[in-house]
Amino acid sequence: MFLSKLTREKQAAFLNLAYTMVYADGRLDAAEKKLFDSYKLEIEDADLSKAHAVDFAQGLAAFDDSSLTEKTGVFFELYAIALIDKAYPDEEKVLVDIMQKRFGITDEKMHQMRDGLKALTDAYANLAKIVEQ
């Protein structure tokens, strides 16, 4: 949702961070895969097959010169991966904590993001029900 405005270099860095978050707990959940695959729609010429695990803290360094808006958008996208499967294992929590500190995201902002993601997923679920009836 917030990735199309990033430079190509930052988009590539994001995809590696996203891959790292997806596989943080050692498994690929269907909801995580669907979200990861959706980046093809937002990132022009995205080759998801080239994404790979990276040292998370080092990967975040690609955004050190980014605006607060960019950092918040990247945080949201990666946080959404951690939450989308309704499981939030310690491996993901560690990465989110690293990212929260690096980007200066407050607990309140994280709460808003959780609520926003829930509202978005609930809206999609409700639309699916309407269409399927």
Side-chain angles (χ1 to χ4, degrees), residues 18-35:
Y19 184 95
T20 304
M21 183 67 78
V22 165
Y23 287 100
D25 60 358
R27 64 181 186 84
L28 176 63
D29 178 83
E32 291 173 331
K33 181 177 179 353
K34 185 176 180 181
L35 185 56

Side-chain angles (χ1 to χ4, degrees), residues 12-25 36 39 52-64 71 73-82 88 90-103 105:
F14 170 82
L15 288 175
N16 290 334
L17 290 166
Y19 184 95
T20 304
M21 183 67 78
V22 165
Y23 287 100
D25 60 358
F36 187 78
Y39 299 139
H52 59 277
V54 295
D55 177 280
F56 205 73
Q58 289 179 355
L60 292 172
F63 300 95
D64 284 350
K71 288 177 183 178
V74 167
F75 183 95
F76 175 78
E77 294 287 352
L78 294 170
Y79 191 38
I81 292 170
Y88 192 33
D90 289 339
E91 298 89 350
E92 292 175 348
K93 289 176 186 173
V94 167
L95 298 182
V96 169
D97 186 53
I98 291 168
M99 186 171 49
Q100 181 185 14
K101 288 181 178 123
R102 181 96 184 215
F103 288 172
I105 304 295

Side-chain angles (χ1 to χ4, degrees), residues 4-5 20 31-32 47-48 51 59 93 102-103 111 119 133:
S4 63
K5 296 177 184 171
T20 304
E32 291 173 331
D47 185 354
L48 301 182
K93 289 176 186 173
R102 181 96 184 215
F103 288 172
H111 183 74
Q133 292 179 356

